[in-house]
Amino acid sequence: EAGVTQFPSHSVIEKGQTVTLRCDPISGHDNLYWYRRVMGKEIKFLLHFVKESKQDESGMPNNRFLAERTGGTYSTLKVQPAELEDSGVYFCASSAITRPRETQYFGPGTRLLVL
Amino acid sequence: GQQLNQSPQSMFIQEGEDVSMNCTSSSIFNTWLWYKQEPGEGPVLLIALYKAGELTSNGRLTAQFGITRKDSFLNISASIPSDVGIYFCAGRSVTGANNLFFGTGTRLTVIP
């Protein structure tokens, strides 16, 4: 069974440009999460989809970030316009069930560098 | 938001030594998890803990869910070179949200 995949693996863009990250969860997983790790800091939650609905987007930093999950399958995270502080590793995770014993499976991440 | 303090930040140890790392939170969690991240990969779940006081092993790894529900530790016995990586603790709050709160990670280097 394929794991969580993310595309691209790396992205280098200039400040002010737009970048779209994609996540394909494990097939059949209704829950999809986006997290971000800024250099040297903790991995921080961004948002949570259940199927195509946003269950919790309390971690989204500002309105330059837009996440979608049309059809409840893959998800995209768009940053427009990108700023220097958006640099970091963006992880996607998916799970089949929620509490109490949910296991979130993480993708390899997209390493974003904004110059 | 929730704060998880993970220590140490980094460790350099000789192959065969035991390793211990821990995490404390500013509030109560009902789940503690330990993940390992290797270069170019995402975090992989090592051990999950769901009850205060729970002690769980996975091979050479042992982790415990603290009685206060605000802390957890991970021990690795008889380290080997492939233990190299970044270890993250993570917790799930009692508030009802499903998202995980992560520590800042412990970077482990094993010297053969």
Side-chain angles (χ1 to χ4, degrees), chain A residues 33 35 37 41-43 45 48 56 91 98-104 106-108 111, chain B residues 30 35 37 40-43 45 50 86 88 92-93 96-100 102-104:
Chain A
Y33 301 82
Y35 291 87
R37 186 181 190 215
K41 299 203 169 180
E42 73 272 27
I43 300 171
F45 166 76
H48 169 207
D56 181 355
F91 291 106
T98 53
R99 291 171 181 263
R101 301 204 171 207
E102 175 197 30
T103 297
Q104 295 184 18
F106 282 76
R111 283 139 186 86
Chain B
N30 61 19
Y35 283 85
Q37 184 187 5
E41 302 292 329
L45 183 65
Y50 300 104
I86 303 176
F88 291 98
R92 188 174 285 124
S93 170
N98 288 330
N99 59 286
L100 299 176
F102 281 84
T104 50

Side-chain angles (χ1 to χ4, degrees), chain A residues 5-45:
Chain A
T5 58
Q6 293 186 243
F7 183 84
S9 59
H10 295 78
S11 180
V12 181
I13 61 173
E14 291 188 348
K15 175 182 170 180
Q17 289 186 322
T18 297
V19 63
T20 300
L21 314 181
R22 173 172 169 142
C23 168
D24 285 78
I26 293 172
S27 177
H29 281 190
D30 287 340
N31 294 293
L32 188 149
Y33 301 82
W34 284 99
Y35 291 87
R36 174 174 75 172
R37 186 181 190 215
V38 172
M39 177 75 79
K41 299 203 169 180
E42 73 272 27
I43 300 171
K44 274 194 169 181
F45 166 76

Side-chain angles (χ1 to χ4, degrees), chain B residues 42-112:
Chain B
V44 174
L45 183 65
L46 299 174
I47 292 181
L49 304 156
Y50 300 104
K51 287 168 56 173
E54 182 179 355
L55 183 71
T56 297
S57 293
N58 178 7
R60 293 177 297 105
L61 278 60
T62 301
Q64 183 158 33
F65 192 139
I67 291 292
T68 65
R69 299 170 73 188
K70 290 186 177 183
D71 63 304
S72 177
F73 72 76
L74 174 71
N75 287 340
I76 305 173
S77 64
S79 59
I80 59 178
S82 61
D83 290 334
V84 164
I86 303 176
Y87 291 78
F88 291 98
C89 62
R92 188 174 285 124
S93 170
V94 299
T95 61
N98 288 330
N99 59 286
L100 299 176
F101 295 92
F102 281 84
T104 50
T106 295
R107 183 179 294 273
L108 178 63
T109 301
V110 179
I111 303 165

